[in-house]
Amino acid sequence: MRLLPRLFPVILALWLVGCDEESVGPESGAADAVQAEQIDWDRLIPVDWQPETLLEGFDLDAVDGMDDDDPRAVELMDKLTQLWADAPVVQELDGLKVRLPGFVVPLEMDARTMSEFLLVPYYGACIHVPPPPANQTIHVVAPEGREYVGELFDTVWVTGTLRVVRSSSDLAEAGYRIDVTEIEPHDGEVEPL
């Protein structure tokens, strides 16, 4: 009997070292035990993608003073919208457990309880100003029973598994999805691009 109290700490230590996401069932919270990597929004943009160069082929001086319904302005906006929708993503991030701050944009405007929403890097995106590029828009999916309760443009930390999955909504094109393990309030500034 005296051997058991001495072996218990060793057994516990070996069990803790051997625990990983695959060896323990999901009910135990093992998925949450895997340390999430805190990332910033720049990490979602491929190094070789330079969005400021996308406008090089456009005569922006000609646009100045145009009405919104001018055919040239409409054509320019359509091209820019398509470039933003086609923004490349970082494939190597697929499957990475991440933690990222951002602003909540509900997919249904009157919703307060959300199983899905868009996470964006700056206030007003998709509603008051045009949406960000697809590589700066994340479709957040909460598990059943763990919906987010909040409002438009709440600032939150989202933790979960990042997936390179494109999705489309009336509000924006998203280049990524996060399968949520945790959503918590964010106090402080969100660092956009």
Side-chain angles (χ1 to χ4, degrees):
M1 293 297 275
R2 292 183 200 160
L3 186 59
L4 186 58
R6 283 188 241 157
L7 285 177
F8 182 75
V10 173
I11 293 169
L12 180 61
L14 288 172
W15 179 76
L16 289 174
V17 168
C19 283
D20 63 15
E21 192 170 350
E22 296 173 347
S23 65
V24 180
E27 293 80 23
S28 69
D32 294 337
V34 174
Q35 185 66 31
E37 181 179 339
Q38 186 170 317
I39 64 170
D40 62 19
W41 287 91
D42 287 343
R43 180 93 182 268
L44 302 173
I45 302 172
V47 176
D48 60 344
W49 190 66
Q50 303 298 318
E52 63 276 3
T53 62
L54 299 175
L55 297 176
E56 288 177 354
F58 299 109
D59 182 6
L60 296 179
D61 291 331
V63 175
D64 190 30
M66 276 189 221
D67 291 330
D68 287 347
D69 58 349
D70 184 303
R72 295 171 297 166
V74 170
E75 179 185 2
L76 177 60
M77 190 57 161
D78 288 345
K79 286 180 182 177
L80 290 174
T81 300
Q82 191 59 50
L83 288 170
W84 250 212
D86 294 339
V89 294
V90 180
Q91 294 292 331
E92 295 78 22
L93 296 177
D94 190 61
L96 183 66
K97 183 153 178 159
V98 299
R99 183 171 191 254
L100 179 71
F103 294 90
V104 172
V105 177
L107 291 171
E108 296 177 25
M109 284 301 115
D110 57 350
R112 287 218 7 102
T113 301
M114 299 166 244
S115 59
E116 300 180 40
F117 59 87
L118 298 178
L119 189 70
V120 295
Y122 54 87
Y123 183 86
C126 305
I127 306 297
H128 301 298
V129 297
N135 60 21
Q136 294 291 283
T137 306
I138 301 173
H139 179 206
V140 176
V141 180
E144 187 175 336
R146 295 185 57 196
E147 292 84 3
Y148 175 71
V149 178
E151 298 181 14
L152 175 66
F153 297 130
D154 281 352
T155 52
V156 295
W157 282 103
V158 174
T159 303
T161 304
L162 187 67
R163 300 289 180 199
V164 176
V165 175
R166 290 194 177 261
S167 64
S168 182
S169 71
D170 290 340
L171 298 173
E173 301 293 320
Y176 297 98
R177 182 183 80 216
I178 290 182
D179 296 325
V180 170
T181 55
E182 185 175 14
I183 301 171
E184 52 193 330
H186 178 277
D187 295 323
E189 297 291 316
V190 174
E191 298 287 331
L193 293 173

